[in-house]
Amino acid sequence: TPTMPVKTERVAGPAVGLAAGVMGGITGIFAPLVAVYVQALQVEKQVFVFWLTASFFIGGAVQVLSYYRLGLYNNAILLYAVATFVPVVLGTRLGFWIQDRLPGPTFRRLVLLLVLASGVNLIVRYFS
């Protein structure tokens, strides 16, 4: 598991945020960087899930609004994007329920495996 010394958090946080924003703007995917960064902070699993969920929500909202402003989304697609909020909230609640029942070390391993899987998926998609 990567770790982050406390004294580097002041620089690393904004740098990861900027890099994730650029990556999200280029590819639409910013989550792996944010997940690895928050994981490196070694926060409790509830705090980890809160910050990751918050960043997904904010990042997703920014993407939807940006695409709309750029003319990539029309009103109907914008409405569909906003309507996904309901299943996202339900899925988030289910995710909180599951993570509450996982031991800390198992939770951290699953998070790293999911980040690894998403990275491998991006690489495979790139080369196929």
Side-chain angles (χ1 to χ4, degrees):
T1 300
T3 60
M4 172 108 21
V6 175
K7 62 184 176 184
T8 62
E9 287 179 29
R10 282 194 176 142
V11 174
V16 168
L18 178 63
V22 170
M23 194 167 110
I26 293 171
T27 66
I29 301 166
F30 58 89
L33 277 178
V34 175
V36 170
Y37 173 70
V38 177
Q39 178 82 355
L41 295 177
Q42 296 188 346
V43 297
E44 294 296 321
K45 64 181 182 174
Q46 290 84 1
V47 174
F48 175 86
V49 171
F50 171 80
W51 282 111
L52 211 56
T53 302
S55 70
F56 288 160
F57 179 77
I58 293 167
V62 167
Q63 281 182 326
V64 167
L65 293 175
S66 296
Y67 292 169
Y68 181 75
R69 296 272 313 193
L70 289 169
L72 301 173
Y73 282 1
N74 59 29
N75 288 339
I77 294 175
L78 180 64
L79 181 62
Y80 292 142
V82 171
T84 64
F85 180 74
V86 173
V88 166
V89 169
L90 295 174
T92 299
R93 296 293 301 164
L94 177 61
F96 284 152
W97 183 83
I98 292 169
Q99 68 89 14
D100 280 344
R101 282 146 183 81
L102 291 174
T106 303
F107 173 78
R108 291 190 183 281
R109 283 188 201 106
L110 284 173
V111 167
L112 290 175
L113 283 172
L114 287 172
V115 170
L116 176 64
S118 69
V120 168
N121 181 40
L122 289 174
I123 292 168
V124 167
R125 285 178 155 194
Y126 178 78
F127 289 108
S128 35

